[in-house]
Each structure stands twice: as C-alpha cells, then as structure tokens.
Amino acid sequence: MQSSILSGLNPEQLKAVTYSNGSLLVLAGAGSGKTKVLTTRMAWLIENAQLGVSEILAVTFTNKAAREMLYRVGKILRVDTRFMWVGTFHSIALRILRSHYQDAGLPQSFQIIDSGEQLSLIKRLIKQKNLDENKYTPRDLQNFINYQKEHGLRASQLNPENLRTQYWVELYALYEEVCNRDGLVDFTELLLRCYELLSFNDLILNRYRNQFRHLLVDEFQDTNQLQYKWLQLLVGTKNTIFAVGDDDQSIYSFRGAKVGNMRAFIRDFNAPEPLRLEQNYRSTPTILEAANAIIDNNSDRIGKNLWTDSQQQEKIRLYEGYTEEDEAFFVVDEIKNLHNNEGISLSDIAILYRSNAQSRVFEQHLYNRGILYKVYGGLRFFDRLEVKRVLAYLRLIVNPHDNEAFLRVVNFPARGIGAKTVEALQELSATNQVSLFDAVDLLSGKTKVTVGKFTSLILNMQEESKLLNLPETMSYIIETSGIRAHFEADKKEGEERLENLNELVTAVSGFVPEDPTNPLLEFLAYAVLESVDNQANLQESAVQLMTVHAAKGLEFKVVFVVGLEDGLFPHDNSLDSQQNLEEERRLMYVAVTRARERLFLLRACSRLLWGKRISAPISRFVNEIPAELIMNISGVSKIGYSQLGDYEQGANNQNDYFTQVDNPESKTSRVALKDKNVTLKIGDMIRHAKFGSGKILRLNEDGKKMTAEIFFIGVGKKVLDLNIAQIEKV
C-alpha cells in the first residue's frame, strides 16, 4: 500500500510527504501540487505512523478545499473520512465550541452571524448611542472590532487614547454584551472564543493536544495572528505541524493575513529551512519565466524559482487598447476566435481584473456578441434575500430571542408591522434588557395583537418542527410564513425567487449532519460557513469573469489580465507604500500563474473614471517582464515591439488601389492607399476631422471599396470609407 501511496511523487514532493523529523514548512509554488502533497501526507501518516483518522487535524481556508482533501484521502486509503478533522479554521473552532459550549460561556443553541448581519447589528448600536453615522461609520467600527479580536483583545483590555477611540471601545463593549445576551457569534469570535477556551482550560486543551498528534495547514501564508497563536496552542511541545504555503501568493493582508508568519514558523516550531516545491505542472516555461521575473522585484521573500518540464513555447501577448472599450472589444473578439476556430471551451477562458467595477464593459461586449459569461463576486446562494429570510425563520425556531433574525422577518411577508412599531419594540427591548421577542409582551392595544400574531406563528412553527424532519420543516416554513404565496404573486422576480427556494429545500434534503440530534442547528451553521467561501465554482460553460483575489487557487487554459495601468493595477492606494506595492506585485504573480497555455496582458491608454477620461502609464508590472517573452500586438509601447519587425512593410503592388499584406495575426492587417501615399494597418492611431482621435480595429475590402472600422475616443466605433474619409496617421 505504501508504495502505491507514494507513486507519482517527484523527489521534493516525496521528501515532504515522508518527512519524519518534527515540524516542517513546505514552500509550495503555484501549480506545484501542494494539495497532492497534503493529502498524500495525511494518507502516509495514517498508514506509516498507524494513526487513527481522528488523530490528524488538517486546516484550510475554504470548505471547497476541505472537501477536496477529504475526497482524495478517502480515495487513496478507501476509508470512511466522516470522522476526520479536516476543515476551515472557522468550522474546526465551531466543532470544538459545540462540544464545550458551557465551558466557552455560550448557550447550546448559539447562532453564527455573517458579516452582513454583524454590520446590521453595529448600525443599530451606533443609532442607540445617538452617534452620527457619518462620523462613526458602521463599517469602520466593524473593522475595529474584528481587528481587535484577530489580535486576541476584548473591549475590557483596551485603553482608549482619545474621545473617538473611547466611543469605539464603548461600542465594542456594548456589541459584546448584546452578542452574549442573544447567543450570537460572529466569524472572528468563533476562533477567539475557541482560543480562549483552550487557553483557560488545561483539561480541554490537553484532550485535543493528545488527540491531534499531527497538524497540517494549507495556505499557511494566509494565516492571521490569532490563527497562528491558535495553532501554537494546539501543537504545544510534543506535536508536529506540517504547513504548506507560498509567501509569493500572500494577498490577503486586508483580512489580517500576516506573511511574516512563514518566517516565524521556523523559529517558533523549531523547524529546519523550508522544503521548496518549485516544479510547476500547470503553466508554460514562458509564463513561469514572466512570473519569476515579476516576483523577483519583491524584497521580502523567502525565495524560490518555478520551472517546468513542458516544452510548449508561446509568447505572452500584450494589447494596449486605445480606451477601455477598445480593450474589451479586443478581448471579446479574441475569445470568439478561440472558441469558434480553436475549439477552446468557454469555461476554460478567464478575464481577470483588479476590481469588480471593471467587469461592466466586458459584460456588455460579451452580451452583444452572444457569448455566455459568468461573473463572480455577486451574491452567493446562501446570501440571496429570499434564502436569508427563510433561514431567519429557522433561526427563530431554534432561538426566538435572536434579534437579528426577528428584525429580518417580523414584517416579511408584510403583516402590518411598520417601522414605528419596530422602533417602539427596540426601545422597549433596550430599556428593559430583554429580547425583541419578549418585548412584544410589553406592547399594548392593537399593536400588541398585531405583533403577537407573529410571535404566535414562531411558537407554532417551533412546536410543529419537532414532528418534522429537516426538509419537511423547510417546506412547512415556506408555506406557513406566507413566503411562497408572496413570491407567487410577484410577476417580476417571483419565479426566480421560488426556484431558489426550491433549491434550498433540495440542499436541505442532501445535508448529512454530523450530530443527528440537532440537524437544524447544524444546517444553519453550515449555511453561514458556506457563505464565507468566495471562490468561483466553475460548473457553467461560460467565460469566467472575476477579480484576481477570487481566482486564487484556480487555473485556466487562457487568461486575459486586463486593466494593467499604474493606479489601477497596481492600485492607486498601494503606490505610496513599499509594503502595499509588494502585495500588489504578489497579486500580479497570482494572476499570471492562473494561465496554463496562453496569457494575454491588456491595458487601456485612456480610461473613463468618475466621468473624466484620464490617461495612465502601463503597469510597472508589465515592464518587469523581459521584453523577449512578449509579443506586442498593438504596438503602442516599445515592450516586445521587435516582434512587429517580421511584418511586411509597404504595399506589394502600387498599381492596386490598396494591397492586402499577409500577417501572422490577421489576414486583413494592412492596406496601402495609392492616392494618399500612405499604408494603414490594424492598430494605427489616426485623426479624423470630425470624430477626432481614433484607432483602427479592422480593415475590409469589398470590390474597389475599402473600409476601416475605427474606434474614436468619446464617440465609439465608426466604419469609414477610406477613399473619402479625411484621416491622417498620428
């Protein structure tokens, strides 16, 4: 069995998998087979060290990655992986807290709130304190609270430096009080509460230290300070930790990730120098050489150099559009050619950008050309409004005192409970220190009767759910709450909303809880934790549009990296800080290494921003790629421009009105106009008396009529007759 487990590993992978001398940091480059190493290591430990499947703890950052690891280990060993501890930091912490909720100071039915619900709660607290939201913005307070938690700090441990900070600390303390009262736990709280549980209870800590003899961590470069301390606590002095990461792909500092944890690993876990996985199984030599050249400009690196056995050679293509419209036109034109003429699947083509706002122009052009596309970065399934509302009813069944869930559905579907009634309820709740549900009893008159019907509905649902299984409970809520009838009456979006609710019932039907005694509580936790994953799910046969952050961990046959201008990528906010600029460079490194076979780099010479057209220089990251690796197919800058020297110059036959010159890129690339004594080619910048500056996109011949499709700045595309058009090259 052991030989079959280890078959197919290269020498460095084999060293990593079979390492048996304590803790180890594996520096795994993009496409170097890190998941294979992690899963094979787990299988090897179970076989070689004769460990039980529950004696290994494997931590990653997405539920998708955790499921993939479990599947692979199960396939290698043919064992039941249900009892394995493989999951995200959040899910592992939740699992421990569910087992020790009393020791952690939590109610048994504590609920997890997502970032949106956390923000809503914070908004209400700011309003409750009569503070100006413009001065004390909810998002800033949310970031403040999460930052403190990630550093292991409670409100009681903070010393405010000024009046503003004092308000922050007071609001943080109030936030903690409300969450404790209502049994709510946010994402950051999951890990902090678990860390505190283990720190202050030696009995529980030793139980898990004795159980988890080996810890494995994926994407170690993305760990924050609290996650790092949590791992240290579990490892102790006797256990070992096997961490796989890539400091060159650390792109989440805005979430608290500390790339410095990789350097600290060697010191804190008494580990040798990192073992490097540098052989790449994904990309061509040209792409890897470009990636290496880019990232080599970062100073704070542990250092590695990607290489491949692949002999495939194809230059990186650089296109510099005249405007963002020209940039998008080229991308979509190229995609149509790749799909129709070369048979490349649409789902194997990706357009990557720095920020979500850049997707609009590409969506428009793809739609106009009839090309299917999928944009990532929108609402995930469990974040959709109709789904969140059904889940809120479920949460109230579990805990009627969940104020967040109460507010979400107290008047949905509409039942005559207006904003003033809700405000009165909130005041009664705050004054009497009771939940909104209990505050209903403090109302009077018709208002009490109206809202009382809602609380009675929840209590009836609670009783009925005891007699039903999970799918039946879900269907019962959708019917009894009036949600189904509400969307059936909605002629605009109702059908789509109902389809999503049907999918929700399907999701519940396929859900297998670890603890069958409380499947509803487990499903609610599953729904929230699933909504954390923001990585694309590439099931649809469509062009994939996403930010570079969302593309991390994915790969595509063809990649278009767009918007490569200084100020956009790298982002303007990073240009005044060496540390931030290096993170942007790591982001570019991630973008480049998503491509397997072909890589296109694009920028717009001018771009419409905030209603004004501005010009920006080409991204410094493009300039960091050796020119010989690039074919410049637009010819605006000198980068890779030498490739154009192969094109034929001038016209072949001056007796013709114009002559078409063959070109490796296009059969309609160049025309020579006899009467005007000028040669035009695709990509030429021209000036027109009426339309102004433009760029030639296409050249066509129809008998003796020669036309050019030209994109004019501020005007758009025009098709002009070259015999009469008053144009000149610029």
Side-chain angles (χ1 to χ4, degrees):
M1 171 67 77
Q2 183 173 325
S3 60
S4 62
I5 287 177
L6 302 178
S7 62
L9 298 175
N10 68 37
E12 295 307 307
Q13 290 173 336
L14 182 62
K15 285 180 188 177
V17 167
T18 59
Y19 184 79
S20 58
N21 194 27
S23 297
L24 180 68
L25 175 64
V26 178
L27 196 63
S32 62
K34 71 176 181 64
T35 304
K36 182 177 183 179
V37 166
L38 275 167
T39 52
T40 309
R41 168 79 173 173
M42 291 164 66
W44 184 82
L45 285 171
I46 292 170
E47 284 290 310
N48 196 64
Q50 297 182 333
L51 296 178
V53 292
S54 63
E55 293 182 277
I56 294 175
L57 173 63
V59 190
T60 185
F61 278 84
T62 68
N63 295 300
K64 179 182 175 183
R67 287 192 290 267
E68 175 67 16
M69 289 168 69
L70 282 170
Y71 170 76
R72 292 200 194 187
V73 172
K75 189 174 180 181
I76 294 172
L77 293 179
R78 296 179 182 175
V79 296
D80 188 346
T81 59
R82 285 181 298 172
F83 301 104
M84 294 191 72
W85 283 69
V86 179
T88 64
F89 280 98
H90 290 121
S91 65
I92 298 295
L94 173 63
R95 191 169 174 180
I96 293 173
L97 290 175
R98 286 281 185 225
S99 298
H100 308 281
Y101 64 91
Q102 288 180 314
D103 295 290
L106 291 168
Q108 185 175 10
S109 59
F110 71 86
Q111 291 292 312
I112 308 168
I113 57 174
D114 61 26
S115 59
E117 291 161 333
Q118 181 190 36
L119 188 62
S120 296
L121 172 56
I122 286 170
K123 285 180 179 178
R124 292 205 307 277
L125 296 180
I126 291 175
K127 186 177 181 180
Q128 183 179 320
K129 295 284 283 187
N130 294 315
L131 295 173
D132 183 358
E133 271 198 24
N134 294 319
K135 187 176 181 181
Y136 297 92
T137 59
R139 185 75 67 183
D140 285 346
L141 177 55
Q142 182 181 39
N143 292 337
F144 173 82
I145 291 172
N146 291 338
Y147 177 86
Q148 303 306 328
K149 288 188 178 186
E150 285 170 358
H151 288 76
L153 297 172
R154 295 293 185 186
S156 59
Q157 298 172 278
L158 300 175
N159 296 312
E161 300 174 356
N162 50 48
L163 183 61
R164 180 181 176 82
T165 311
Q166 182 179 329
Y167 279 130
W168 279 153
V169 175
E170 288 176 4
L171 285 163
Y172 180 15
L174 181 59
Y175 173 81
E176 288 185 303
E177 180 185 326
V178 171
C179 286
N180 288 332
R181 184 192 70 204
D182 296 347
L184 303 177
V185 177
D186 60 52
F187 289 141
T188 316
E189 181 71 20
L190 276 173
L191 201 65
L192 177 55
R193 187 72 65 120
C194 184
Y195 176 77
E196 291 172 339
L197 170 71
L198 298 174
S199 297
F200 303 135
N201 194 313
D202 288 341
L203 192 64
I204 295 175
L205 174 61
N206 288 330
R207 169 192 161 172
Y208 289 105
R209 279 183 174 174
N210 291 333
Q211 178 177 342
F212 302 135
R213 293 163 55 188
H214 292 272
L215 281 78
L216 296 91
V217 187
D218 189 15
E219 304 286 7
F220 190 75
Q221 76 280 352
D222 293 335
T223 55
N224 62 31
Q225 182 170 320
L226 181 59
Q227 290 163 340
Y228 187 84
K229 289 167 65 177
W230 183 80
L231 290 168
Q232 279 185 293
L233 202 58
L234 284 171
V235 172
T237 57
K238 296 181 180 179
N239 296 331
T240 66
I241 180 169
F242 181 92
V244 178
D246 183 0
D247 59 327
D248 291 334
Q249 294 189 73
S250 179
I251 58 174
Y252 293 116
S253 66
F254 64 94
R255 293 184 189 168
K258 292 183 63 176
V259 67
N261 286 347
M262 296 195 72
R263 292 190 181 278
F265 182 99
I266 298 170
R267 177 192 69 232
D268 295 336
F269 295 106
N270 193 29
E273 277 296 303
L275 192 154
R276 291 168 171 78
L277 301 181
E278 298 174 304
Q279 184 173 359
N280 178 281
Y281 294 92
R282 176 189 299 160
S283 305
T284 66
T286 301
I287 292 170
L288 295 181
E289 192 174 341
N292 288 333
I294 292 168
I295 202 64
D296 195 48
N297 289 279
N298 273 4
S299 57
D300 188 21
R301 300 178 64 218
I302 298 175
K304 66 181 183 311
N305 200 59
L306 297 179
W307 61 275
T308 180
D309 280 338
S310 170
Q311 301 301 310
Q312 184 177 347
Q313 293 285 358
E314 184 164 339
K315 290 185 181 294
I316 297 166
R317 299 188 180 192
L318 172 65
Y319 184 81
E320 299 174 86
Y322 196 43
T323 65
E324 69 275 13
E325 293 281 351
D326 185 11
E327 178 187 44
F329 185 93
F330 173 84
V331 170
V332 175
D333 210 35
E334 197 68 31
I335 287 173
K336 204 163 185 72
N337 174 61
L338 290 167
H339 181 61
N340 293 344
N341 298 334
E342 298 189 37
I344 295 177
S345 170
L346 292 179
S347 60
D348 224 352
I349 301 173
I351 302 173
L352 307 184
Y353 34 78
R354 179 62 180 83
S355 63
N356 279 309
Q358 292 172 254
S359 73
R360 184 201 60 80
V361 65
F362 294 98
E363 291 183 65
Q364 179 184 330
H365 280 267
L366 288 164
Y367 178 80
N368 290 342
R369 301 289 291 279
I371 300 174
L372 293 175
Y373 65 91
K374 176 72 174 176
V375 181
Y376 296 93
L379 286 178
R380 293 175 289 275
F381 179 76
F382 287 112
D383 286 334
R384 290 169 184 166
L385 183 63
E386 62 276 18
V387 174
K388 297 277 281 187
R389 280 173 166 160
V390 174
L391 294 178
Y393 276 103
L394 285 173
R395 284 168 54 175
L396 286 173
I397 288 175
V398 172
N399 176 18
H401 308 294
D402 184 337
N403 286 347
E404 289 301 308
F406 186 98
L407 288 170
R408 188 177 288 276
V409 294
V410 65
N411 197 41
F412 183 84
R415 47 179 62 92
I417 302 173
K420 288 185 178 179
T421 300
V422 173
E423 284 182 16
L425 262 179
Q426 288 178 303
E427 287 180 12
L428 287 169
S429 171
T431 302
N432 294 278
Q433 292 293 296
V434 296
S435 68
L436 292 170
F437 193 91
D438 285 345
V440 175
D441 291 333
L442 304 176
L443 293 169
S444 60
K446 290 184 178 179
T447 305
K448 182 175 182 178
V449 174
T450 301
V451 187
K453 290 180 180 179
F454 172 70
T455 54
S456 296
L457 174 66
I458 298 302
L459 292 174
N460 289 336
M461 287 179 171
Q462 196 176 52
E463 287 302 311
E464 196 69 25
S465 67
K466 295 176 183 177
L467 307 174
L468 304 173
N469 62 30
L470 199 50
E472 290 169 343
T473 298
M474 188 75 76
S475 298
Y476 170 75
I477 286 174
I478 293 171
E479 293 288 344
T480 309
S481 65
I483 289 178
R484 180 179 295 281
H486 171 82
F487 287 124
E488 283 176 345
D490 183 351
K491 302 303 180 185
K492 187 177 181 181
E493 297 180 340
E495 185 176 351
E496 182 182 350
R497 305 279 192 185
L498 287 170
E499 286 176 0
N500 288 334
L501 293 181
N502 180 59
E503 182 61 28
L504 179 59
V505 176
T506 302
V508 171
S509 301
F511 177 70
V512 181
E514 291 183 7
D515 180 8
T517 61
N518 204 334
L520 177 53
L521 197 60
E522 276 202 40
F523 180 78
L524 287 170
Y526 161 79
V528 177
L529 293 177
E530 278 294 309
S531 73
V532 181
D533 284 2
N534 66 342
Q535 197 173 61
N537 184 16
L538 310 179
Q539 301 298 321
E540 206 169 336
S541 180
V543 177
Q544 315 296 313
L545 279 71
M546 65 189 77
T547 64
V548 183
H549 281 102
K552 186 170 177 289
L554 304 176
E555 59 182 74
F556 305 91
K557 184 175 287 188
V558 181
V559 168
F560 295 86
V561 184
V562 301
L564 285 168
E565 301 127 45
D566 266 16
L568 189 56
F569 195 2
H571 196 275
D572 188 56
N573 293 341
S574 71
L575 298 181
D576 59 352
S577 163
Q578 182 64 26
Q579 183 178 347
N580 292 340
L581 183 59
E582 293 207 351
E583 175 140 344
E584 289 286 302
R585 187 173 282 111
R586 292 194 290 269
L587 196 59
M588 179 64 176
Y589 175 84
V590 168
V592 168
T593 53
R594 297 313 92 198
R596 294 202 303 267
E597 296 179 9
R598 296 189 195 178
L599 176 64
F600 291 81
L601 306 178
L602 298 102
R603 69 114 168 189
C605 297
S606 70
R607 188 176 295 274
L608 197 63
L609 294 172
W610 303 106
K612 294 183 179 180
R613 185 157 293 283
I614 62 173
S615 298
I618 192 168
S619 171
R620 64 194 67 194
F621 300 149
V622 177
N623 283 312
E624 291 171 356
I625 300 173
E628 62 270 17
L629 302 180
I630 295 176
M631 174 185 286
N632 190 328
I633 51 181
S634 52
V636 176
S637 72
K638 294 182 179 179
I639 303 171
Y641 190 73
S642 60
Q643 296 302 317
L644 295 176
D646 297 334
Y647 295 176
E648 187 174 349
Q649 303 295 318
N652 285 335
N653 187 347
Q654 295 297 324
N655 294 321
D656 294 335
Y657 188 84
F658 74 92
T659 301
Q660 188 70 55
V661 179
D662 282 345
N663 177 319
E665 299 304 320
S666 170
K667 291 294 184 183
T668 57
S669 65
R670 185 184 297 271
V671 295
L673 302 180
K674 179 180 178 183
D675 293 346
K676 296 186 180 184
N677 194 28
V678 65
T679 300
L680 297 177
K681 67 177 184 300
I682 291 174
D684 274 349
M685 301 293 184
I686 60 90
R687 189 176 304 279
H688 185 272
K690 178 180 178 181
F691 302 125
S693 299
K695 183 175 180 178
I696 296 177
L697 303 179
R698 278 185 169 78
L699 294 165
N700 299 296
E701 175 188 11
D702 183 9
K704 287 191 174 183
K705 183 178 181 181
M706 287 65 60
T707 61
E709 185 175 356
I710 305 173
F711 189 92
F712 291 98
I713 185 169
V715 177
K717 290 194 291 291
K718 296 286 183 182
V719 177
L720 302 181
D721 186 335
L722 293 176
N723 186 35
I724 59 176
Q726 298 300 308
I727 62 173
E728 60 180 14
K729 290 176 69 173
V730 295

